[in-house]
C-alpha cells in the first residue's frame, strides 16, 4: 500500500489528510521527523528522491487523465512531492490547506484552486506557498549541482 493511504499514528486519519502523521503533537510541516521513523525529513526526502532516479519524464504533463503519471512518469514537481510524501509531508495537502487560509498568494484565476487536480502540481503554486512561509533560500551561493 502506498504510504499516503497508511495511517502511521493510527488515529483513523490516513497520512495524506493527517496534519500530524506521527501523532507527536507537532504539525508535519514543523516536525523535523514528520513520519516519526527516527530519520530527519531531509534525509528521508533524499533517500526517496534517489529511488526516483530513472523514472521517465511525464511528457503529457497531466493531460489525458494523468495517464503518463499512472504509467510511472513524473514531472519536476513530482520529484519534490513524492520525495517528501514518504517523509510524512504532503505538499499537496499543505498547498490546499494554505489556499483556504490565504488564497490571495496564488494566481487569481478561476481554474487555479484546490478543486483543480493540477493545483498542487503547478510549480508557481508551490513557489508561492514556499515564499509565503519563508521556505525560500535567501543565500544560495553555497548551493551546487547535485552529483549522482
Ligand atoms: Ca493518522
Ligand atoms: Ca508530528
Ligand atoms: Ca522521518
Amino acid at each position: 500500500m502506498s504510504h499516503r493511504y497508511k495511517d502511521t499514528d493510527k488515529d483513523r486519519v490516513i497520512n495524506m489528510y493527517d496534519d500530524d502523521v506521527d501523532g507527536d503533537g507537532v504539525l508535519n510541516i514543523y516536525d523535523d521527523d514528520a513520519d516519526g521513523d527516527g530519520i530527519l525529513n531531509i534525509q528521508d526526502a533524499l533517500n526517496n528522491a534517489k529511488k526516483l532516479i530513472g523514472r521517465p519524464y511525464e511528457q503529457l504533463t497531466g493531460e489525458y487523465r494523468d495517464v503518463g503519471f499512472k504509467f510511472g512518469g513524473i514531472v519536476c514537481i513530482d520529484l519534490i512531492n513524492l520525495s517528501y510524501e514518504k517523509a510524512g509531508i504532503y505538499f499537496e495537502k499543505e498547498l490546499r490547506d494554505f489556499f483556504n487560509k490565504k488564497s490571495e498568494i496564488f494566481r487569481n484565476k478561476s481554474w487555479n484552486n484546490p478543486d483543480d487536480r493540477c493545483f498542487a502540481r503547478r510549480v508557481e503554486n508551490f513557489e508561492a506557498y514556499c515564499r509565503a512561509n519563508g521556505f525560500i533560500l535567501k543565500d544560495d551561493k553555497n548551493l551546487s549541482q547535485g552529483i549522482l
Side-chain angles (χ1 to χ4, degrees):
M1 184 195 300
S2 170
H3 188 267
R4 58 176 30 219
Y5 300 111
K6 291 181 181 167
D7 179 12
T8 299
D9 62 356
K10 309 279 188 249
D11 68 350
R12 297 182 178 206
V13 179
I14 60 172
N15 291 342
M16 66 185 287
Y17 297 125
D18 199 334
D19 288 325
D20 181 10
V21 164
D22 62 359
D24 68 352
V26 181
L27 296 177
N28 300 326
I29 204 72
Y30 301 112
D31 192 337
D32 290 338
D33 178 15
D35 65 352
D37 68 350
I39 301 169
L40 293 176
N41 297 334
I42 186 66
Q43 192 59 54
D44 266 338
L46 285 170
N47 293 343
N48 297 327
K50 286 178 183 168
K51 291 176 187 166
L52 294 170
I53 291 173
R55 290 273 291 267
Y57 188 77
E58 203 279 84
Q59 304 206 9
L60 299 174
T61 60
E63 294 298 320
Y64 307 106
R65 297 180 183 232
D66 254 352
V67 68
F69 185 76
K70 289 171 185 164
F71 280 99
I74 57 174
V75 295
C76 53
I77 195 74
D78 294 332
L79 178 66
I80 295 169
N81 287 336
L82 292 172
S83 296
Y84 273 92
E85 178 175 309
K86 287 183 183 167
I89 296 175
Y90 294 79
F91 283 117
E92 191 178 323
K93 173 186 180 350
E94 298 294 336
L95 263 69
R96 290 193 165 116
D97 289 351
F98 205 75
F99 183 91
N100 292 328
K101 284 190 267 182
K102 289 190 96 174
S103 63
E104 67 273 16
I105 70 155
F106 298 98
R107 184 153 52 129
N108 186 17
K109 291 286 181 187
S110 60
W111 43 263
N112 194 31
N113 64 71
D115 292 332
D116 184 277
R117 64 185 173 76
C118 292
F119 177 75
R121 289 178 88 191
R122 284 194 191 102
V123 174
E124 69 174 85
N125 289 339
F126 187 74
E127 183 182 0
Y129 165 83
C130 289
R131 199 169 293 286
N133 283 284
F135 298 155
I136 300 281
L137 291 177
K138 293 181 175 70
D139 178 7
D140 62 359
K141 66 176 180 280
N142 291 323
L143 293 179
S144 61
Q145 186 175 359
I147 299 170
L148 299 178

